Amino acid sequence: FKAALFTLVSLILLVLAGLLVWNFSEPWRLGGVPAGAAIQRVYQRVHQATLRLEGTLAPGATPAELSQSLLAKIEWVKHETQWVAYFENARDELEHIIAIYNQHMYSAHGASLGAQGQTLRAWNLLRGRLLLARWAYRLRFMRKLMRHFSKSGTISIHNTNSG
C-alpha cells in the first residue's frame, strides 16, 4: 500500500512539475515563432482565459467585445477582493494586446519583433492576473455554495423561470 501511495504521489508531483515548466516556458516558446503567429496565439490565450472566466461568449465576438467582457470580470474581482492594486494595470495590458492583435490582423503592415516582444511582456503580466481572477471567482462561488449549504442543510436548485 505504501509503495502504491508513494507512486501516486510521485506521479502527481511529476505532472505538477511538468505543468509548471510548461507554464513558465511559454514566453520562450512564443518568442521562438514568427511575430504574427505569436500575436495570434496570445490573442487565442486571451480568448481562452475569457471563456474560463466568463463561461460563454457570443459566437463571432469581436476583439473589442472580448476585451469588454474580460474587463468586466476583472473589474468585479478588483472590487470584490483585496487585490485592487494588483489588477490596476490589467486594463492597459489587455488593451495593448488587443491593439497589437487588431493591427496585425487588419493592417497592411505585419507585426514587428518589437510588437511581439511588447505583446509577450503584456501577456506574461496579464496571465498571472487572470489566473488570480479565475481563482477569486471560483472561491466566491464556492463560498456562496457553502453558505447556502450550511444554512439549509441541503443543496437545492430552484427553477425561477416560469412560463
Side-chain angles (χ1 to χ4, degrees), residues 18 38 41 46 51 67 74 79 82 88 101 127 144 150 159:
R41 288 182 189 173
V46 169
L51 288 175
S67 176
I74 289 172
H79 294 294
Q82 306 145 1
E88 281 302 315
Y101 174 77
R127 74 183 172 137
K144 285 176 77 173
S150 66
N159 185 1

Side-chain angles (χ1 to χ4, degrees), residues 116-127:
Q116 178 185 12
Q118 292 171 353
T119 302
L120 293 179
R121 279 189 292 283
W123 170 239
N124 223 15
L125 295 169
L126 183 62
R127 74 183 172 137

Side-chain angles (χ1 to χ4, degrees), residues 4 19 21 28 32 42 50 61 64 77 80-81 87 101 122 140:
L19 289 172
V21 167
W28 176 77
V42 167
T50 304
V77 171
E80 292 289 323
T81 65
F87 287 100
Y101 174 77
R140 176 183 176 254

